[in-house]
Amino acid sequence: MKNLIFLFLMLGVVSCFHTDKDPSLKTFDDDEINSDNPPIMTFDHEDYDFGKVVKGATVKHEFPFTNTGKTTLIIVDVKGSCSCTSPSWPSEPIGPGESGVITALVDTKKLSGSVDKSLRISANTYPNKISLVHLHGEVIDHK
């Protein structure tokens, strides 16, 4: 019984970790990217400290960005580091000089203590086809 409980706890912990080689994350092939003049995704900030929140709260944050490159930016996928983190992003192409916003929602119902969540953003940028933004803070049981 102890082994079964340990197994479920470990599966829960591992499910909130990620690697850059996530087969479920859609990406561009290298030949689909303009490596000579790629779009550049420039964020206003890549890290957000949400401070202390009470367990059960939903943290929402927007990550504004601008395409500072000379070709059209296309975001094909955005994934949260675990099921508690859900993203939304523009589905339309972002032209040079245009801006957009990626929104992150973190559901803290199953979290406690120090929290660091991320979004992996897959786009036609080069050489880094995957960008990361982070949300971190502390989830407490009560006020």
Side-chain angles (χ1 to χ4, degrees), residues 16-36:
C16 281
F17 289 103
H18 71 277
T19 64
D20 288 336
K21 303 229 182 219
D22 180 352
S24 69
L25 186 69
K26 298 175 196 162
T27 59
F28 282 94
D29 291 330
D30 287 341
D31 61 347
E32 296 177 291
I33 297 174
N34 181 344
S35 60
D36 294 330

Side-chain angles (χ1 to χ4, degrees), residues 114-141:
S114 182
V115 173
D116 186 359
K117 299 298 172 189
S118 63
L119 295 179
R120 287 168 294 137
I121 303 150
S122 177
N124 62 332
T125 53
Y126 181 85
N128 299 319
K129 295 185 280 188
I130 299 175
S131 300
L132 290 173
V133 293
H134 294 271
L135 302 100
H136 59 89
E138 185 176 355
V139 178
I140 57 176
D141 288 332

Side-chain angles (χ1 to χ4, degrees), residues 57-70:
T58 299
V59 174
K60 178 181 179 181
H61 186 69
E62 294 181 341
F63 290 95
F65 66 89
T66 301
N67 177 2
T68 57
K70 295 181 181 174

Side-chain angles (χ1 to χ4, degrees), residues 7 20 28 37 41 46 52 54 68 70 74-76 83-84 86 90-91 95 100 103 126 129 131 133 137 140 143:
L7 176 65
D20 288 336
F28 282 94
N37 215 356
M41 189 176 225
E46 296 175 2
K52 289 184 180 182
V54 176
T68 57
K70 295 181 181 174
I74 300 170
I75 301 171
V76 291
S83 62
C84 64
S86 54
S91 59
T103 302
Y126 181 85
K129 295 185 280 188
S131 300
V133 293
I140 57 176
K143 289 184 180 183

